[in-house]
Amino acid sequence: MSEHSLSMLPGVSTDAHPTPATDVRRRRVPAMAPDDRRAALIAATVPLLREHGLAISTRQIAQAAGVAEGTIFGVFPDKTSLIQAAMVQCLDPAPMQEALRGYASVVDLRARLTLVADLLGRRFNENAKLIAAARGMAMAADVPPELASRLAESRGRMLSAIAALIEPDSELLRSSPDSVALLLVMMVGATAHGVFGEVDAMGAAEIVTFLLDGLLVRPSAPTTRETATDGGSVTC
């Protein structure tokens, strides 16, 4: 048969290049397993939450993930479930715990805590909108129990990791390592995002100085000076 005759047969094409529809079919990505799809959607949602807070739509998430909007509901019952899973991922303390372990070799307590305060500040800034949203939910008693439990667990793990870094120098402190860790986190959080949303005015070193030394000016250590006074000495 001639090439022309072949081209007239149903379903036969002699074009050197496939049609767009055929090309799309050939390049179609295989369907992902539900767990993989879930992880991919969470990964796409995390940066959106950090940039916009909770004010994101399923359309934005779908576009970021490169899927149809309906795909979301194939692995999540609703948008809220996806948002909550992404919030837990954002605030996962594991990366911070790993970084904190690297500070254990720093001998000086003040230098060690300054590194911790700097790390905390960067974490608070990265998740500023998300933390603000979680705080608002907590104040309104609108945090689902499961999410509240996961966030509390993450916070506890972070505090324990910081306390472990303070423990070797506990004899230098008037409060327990757990209390010092909590105070440090509270101070960094308060200065990173003030009551009126002002920009941080205190650096890590200043925060640690305030934590360890307080605000009172302390007198210099007494010195002994021998002064000839009527054959005696004066101690001052």
Side-chain angles (χ1 to χ4, degrees):
M1 297 178 67
S2 68
E3 182 178 346
H4 175 72
S5 300
L6 285 170
S7 66
M8 294 297 101
L9 291 175
V12 176
S13 172
T14 57
D15 293 341
H17 302 288
T19 63
T22 303
D23 191 45
V24 169
R25 285 196 299 272
R26 287 181 180 176
R27 291 183 301 161
R28 181 175 296 165
V29 179
M32 297 175 69
D35 286 347
D36 294 336
R37 176 66 71 193
R38 177 185 175 88
L41 287 169
I42 291 173
T45 305
V46 165
L48 293 175
L49 285 176
R50 285 179 170 150
E51 182 178 357
H52 305 289
L54 300 181
I56 58 175
S57 66
T58 52
R59 181 178 180 181
Q60 286 176 293
I61 296 170
Q63 288 178 340
V67 300
E69 197 168 349
T71 301
I72 294 172
F73 304 107
V75 288
F76 288 96
D78 49 42
K79 172 186 168 183
T80 300
S81 299
L82 171 54
I83 295 295
Q84 291 177 8
M87 286 180 69
V88 171
Q89 180 83 4
C90 280
L91 302 177
D92 179 12
M96 185 170 185
Q97 287 176 296
E98 181 65 26
L100 289 170
R101 279 192 285 269
Y103 300 157
S105 60
V106 179
V107 177
D108 181 68
L109 175 62
R110 190 179 299 271
R112 201 182 318 134
L113 288 183
T114 300
L115 289 172
V116 174
D118 181 68
L119 180 63
L120 282 169
R122 285 185 276 118
R123 178 178 172 85
F124 278 124
N125 286 322
E126 182 181 48
N127 294 306
K129 292 185 178 180
L130 191 56
I131 292 172
R135 186 182 298 118
M137 292 169 64
M139 292 179 66
D142 194 30
V143 184
E146 182 179 356
L147 177 60
S149 176
R150 294 289 298 276
L151 295 180
E153 178 189 355
S154 294
R155 184 169 178 267
R157 286 167 57 190
M158 179 182 68
L159 288 170
S160 294
I162 297 172
L165 285 177
I166 299 170
E167 180 63 38
D169 295 290
S170 59
E171 73 280 0
L172 302 176
L173 303 167
R174 288 184 294 152
S175 296
S176 69
D178 289 335
S179 296
V180 176
L182 179 59
L183 284 170
L184 180 61
V185 171
M186 291 173 62
M187 289 173 63
V188 174
T191 56
H193 305 287
V195 177
F196 302 105
E198 59 271 22
V199 178
D200 177 18
M202 292 181 68
E206 188 176 2
I207 291 171
V208 172
T209 296
F210 176 76
L211 176 67
L212 296 181
D213 303 327
L215 293 176
L216 289 176
V217 176
R218 300 186 181 187
S220 301
T223 59
T224 300
R225 178 166 53 90
E226 295 292 330
T227 304
T229 307
D230 296 330
S233 63
V234 177
T235 302
C236 59

